[in-house]
Structure formats: C-alpha cells, structure tokens
Amino acid sequence: MTTGIEPRDLRRVVCIRLDNMGDVLMTTPAIRALKDTFPRVDITLLASRLGTEIVPFIPTIDDVITYDAPWVRTYGEAPDPGSVTDLAERLAERKFDAAVIFTVFSQSPLPAAILTWLARIPIRAAHCHENPYHLLTHWLPDPEPARFIRHEVERQLQLVQALGATTLDRRLTLRLPVRQIAAARRLLSRICGQSVGDDWVILHPGGSEQRRLYGTQNFVEAARLLRAERKVGIIVTGSTAEAALTEELAAAIGPGAVSLGGKTTVGELAALISLAPVLITNNTSAVHLAAAVGTPVVDIYARTNPQHTPWMVPSRVLYFDVPCRECERGVCGKTDHPPMQTVAPDEVARATLSLLDTRKVPGPLRRTRVRPVGSTVAVADRRREG
C-alpha cells in the first residue's frame, strides 16, 4: 500500500506496547533496532500505567504517553469510551510518521490499528491473524501459535524488520542511575551486616496472574533447603500490594531471610537485582529486569506464555503445568481440574546452587562493572549466554 512516506525517512515513531512492564522490556531490542537504523528518529512509547514505570530507565525511548486501553487486560478501572477518540486526536497532533504495534500472539492489534488509522499515521505496522485491509500498511501475517511460537524478543525484532530496522545488539535495555546503584549497595551493606551471609539470593514470589505463582509454601521449603545446604541469605522482594506476602514468607523461612516487600521503587528493585548473585521468581516482570541487568535467574515457569523465558542471561527454567493453560483468564473459576505436575522445592534449591556455583565473584558486595552514560550507568559485563 502506498503511504507517501518511506521507512528510511522516519523521524517520529510511536511504539505501542499496552500490556505489562516485562513486555515493554522484551520490546527494547526492537526499539533499539529502530534507533540504530534511523539515527534521527524520535521514539514515543504508548503504554499502560504498569508499562510506563520502567520507561525512565530505557534510554532509547524519548517520550511516553500513558493509556490503559480497554482491549488489553489492566488492573484498574476501564477507561471512558471517549478516551479512545481523545487519544486519537492527541496522536494526530503529534504528526507521527509511523506506528509500530507490538502484541503477543494472543492479542489482536486491530483496536490499536484503528486508533492509529484515526490518528492519520501514514505507516502502521503489526502482526495480525486477520486481514486488516486498510488498517495496516505493513501487515505481517501472524504464524503464531498455529505453526510455531517464537520468543517475544524475536517476534518484535521481526516486526521492525518489515520497516528495514535491524540491530546487532539484541539484549534487553535498562540503565540505572548511579544514585540507585549506590543506595542498593548501602542497603545491602546494612542487611548483610545483620542477617544475610556471603551467599545470598533475591526471592520474588509475586506476579500479575495467580495461576503463574509457585506458591508460598513451595517457596518457603525451597528457601529452607538453601539455608540448610549453605546458609544462603534470602532477600524477599515485592510490590506494596505484595508486602504482606513477603513478610509472611520471610517470617516462615526464619533467620537469614529479610522482607523488602513494598519498600523499593521499580528502579530500586532493578538496582538490587543488578547486584544479586541469583534471582528466584515466577514467570513475571522481575525475570526481565534480571535479564536486562545480567543477573542469573531461576524461573519457576508456568506453561502459560512459553515465549517469555529469560533472554540472554544464565538461567534455569523449571516448568510446571497449569489447568487450561491457553485460557486468557488470570484467575481460573473451575474447581474440577485434576492434579497437575509441579516443581519440587529441592529442584529449585539445586538450580539455585548450580547458578551460585558458576559465579566468578562471590559475595553480596562484589563490584558490578558499569559503563557511564551521562548521569546514568548501564549495568554491563555480567552477561553470559545461559
């Protein structure tokens, strides 16, 4: 379809990623590809409130528009219908040259395509199962999940390739302010002087979907096995809404466990993870924070989104099945499911110890090498292919 503008001429691009923070992080290599290919391009991200929390630490994003779309699962009140047309007008005022609509294969890009069509954005690119006709100028027929399932990072890189955008750096992007790294070191010094030994890990038990969670008692048993084997210190992290969970879990683990639930911002959590020898968590955004800063991950992985495993970081992925794995409900309403195979806590402990044993530099206060970037630093040189 003729658009009147060629991709090589792009100056203003809106990247649309309306789900969660981890999804935004997994899109950063594709956004970098746009920056690497079109050096003068200005990138605006249209994202949900949850997604925009990480934007201050993504240097390839120049601006952000926050919007909780009614066609994507959000965790607040649904927006007013008039907000859609209001947003289309805001986008039209910005005179974007192109819109790149990033979705997982279970999401339809068509509502966002209509939005960008109403905003008169001349280039509109997305994967789509259905024929979008005039709504998309660059349509990639979606082969997932019928033919295969790609990693989410691969999917989005292949989308921007339709505009001619490529990059040699396929890592997730995250840069942390020097002050947050320093604050995390001070916090660790204080904690390690009281409760946490030379070997320590972060345990992040929460997540956005109940069915993805490994379960409090399972985490407690795995942590106790780590403590029994090597006196591994446990720092339990989580959001403000998960503070009660992290307190309960730390108390159940006993001496050597500290709860920081609700006590860190997103940036502070990322800084703590950047210093951690290992992160233990469910399939959640913390995995992608760890991948972005190069921290090894034990990912206790519910088989709901097979495309979201840790990207380009040492990891142990321990799969467990869930009822109705292809269902899009966050909480299952059925009660008649047969028992499902899960991951034994000793598997989690063994996986964690194996990652701890591969470390080159022991201890909680080892130096993390960083590359200065203005007033920020990019956590670097801890990345190894896992």
Side-chain angles (χ1 to χ4, degrees):
M1 180 180 296
T2 302
T3 64
I5 186 171
E6 294 295 328
R8 64 176 178 270
D9 298 324
L10 295 182
R11 294 293 180 270
R12 294 175 298 278
V13 174
V14 57
C15 291
I16 300 177
R17 185 85 224 208
L18 291 166
D19 30 20
N20 293 326
M21 179 171 65
D23 302 293
V24 170
L25 280 169
M26 286 186 286
T27 307
T28 55
I31 294 173
R32 182 188 298 114
L34 292 168
K35 282 284 191 179
D36 287 354
T37 306
F38 314 113
R40 289 185 288 173
V41 74
D42 186 272
I43 301 289
T44 295
L45 179 71
L46 175 62
S48 69
R49 281 176 290 177
L50 292 176
T52 56
E53 289 182 355
I54 199 63
V55 169
F57 311 108
I58 302 175
T60 49
I61 295 174
D62 301 295
D63 198 4
V64 63
I65 299 172
T66 303
Y67 183 66
D68 288 326
W71 58 88
V72 177
R73 180 188 300 147
T74 56
Y75 301 92
E77 294 184 2
D80 182 270
S83 67
V84 178
T85 53
D86 290 343
L87 180 59
E89 292 176 3
R90 289 177 61 193
L91 295 176
E93 291 171 358
R94 302 282 287 270
K95 299 186 183 304
F96 289 109
D97 299 319
V100 186
I101 303 168
F102 297 106
T103 58
V104 298
F105 63 75
S106 60
Q107 297 169 341
S108 172
L110 294 180
I114 293 172
L115 175 71
T116 56
W117 176 72
L118 290 172
R120 297 179 175 83
I121 299 175
I123 293 178
R124 304 175 298 279
H127 289 100
C128 191
H129 292 107
E130 305 90 346
N131 187 335
Y133 297 99
H134 296 288
L135 292 179
L136 294 176
T137 60
H138 292 69
W139 168 36
L140 275 68
D142 199 340
E144 300 183 77
R147 291 174 51 198
F148 53 78
I149 295 178
R150 297 164 285 190
H151 194 283
E152 185 70 8
V153 172
E154 295 281 4
R155 175 182 173 87
Q156 310 313 341
L157 282 169
Q158 289 176 25
L159 174 58
V160 297
Q161 284 175 9
L163 300 179
T166 60
T167 183
L168 296 177
D169 187 353
R170 295 156 56 88
R171 297 173 296 175
L172 306 189
T173 302
L174 194 70
R175 290 182 181 174
L176 301 171
V178 173
R179 66 181 185 280
Q180 289 192 338
I181 296 289
R185 291 189 186 280
R186 290 193 298 270
L187 177 60
L188 286 173
S189 295
R190 190 162 64 249
I191 292 174
C192 293
Q194 298 173 3
S195 304
V196 179
D198 288 339
D199 277 333
W200 67 286
V201 299
I202 288 179
L203 196 161
H204 191 86
S208 60
E209 289 192 20
Q210 181 179 336
R211 63 180 177 161
R212 294 187 190 178
L213 305 185
Y214 184 50
T216 302
Q217 190 55 42
N218 287 331
F219 275 125
V220 168
E221 292 180 22
R224 286 175 174 172
L225 288 169
L226 284 171
R227 294 283 300 157
E229 178 70 23
R230 199 181 296 179
K231 299 297 182 186
V232 172
I234 312 289
I235 296 177
V236 188
T237 58
S239 66
T240 300
E242 296 162 346
L245 169 64
T246 64
E247 291 288 346
E248 174 189 356
L249 208 155
I253 295 169
V258 178
S259 170
L260 292 181
K263 299 177 182 177
T264 59
T265 64
V266 167
E268 290 164 347
L269 174 62
L272 280 172
I273 290 175
S274 76
L275 299 174
V278 175
L279 169 73
I280 308 171
T281 189
N282 310 287
N283 174 20
T284 190
S285 295
V287 169
H288 311 301
L289 286 173
V293 297
T295 294
V297 183
V298 175
D299 190 350
I300 311 169
Y301 201 103
R303 294 181 185 271
T304 57
N305 298 82
Q307 71 275 33
H308 292 169
T309 50
W311 180 255
M312 293 185 68
V313 71
S315 63
R316 302 290 184 270
V317 181
L318 306 176
Y319 292 99
F320 67 95
D321 219 337
V322 296
C324 305
R325 72 167 72 169
E326 296 178 359
C327 176
E328 289 303 308
R329 297 175 183 268
V331 178
C332 183
K334 294 186 177 181
T335 59
D336 58 348
H337 292 295
M340 306 297 289
Q341 183 178 4
T342 187
V343 177
D346 67 311
E347 293 181 70
V348 177
R350 287 198 304 271
T352 305
L353 291 170
S354 72
L355 287 174
L356 286 171
D357 287 340
T358 62
R359 293 176 301 161
K360 293 184 178 181
V361 184
L365 300 182
R366 68 195 186 288
R367 295 185 61 82
T368 302
R369 298 169 63 186
V370 296
R371 180 176 68 254
V373 184
S375 62
T376 65
V377 294
V379 178
D381 299 324
R382 290 188 50 196
R383 305 177 192 274
R384 301 184 301 277
E385 292 283 353

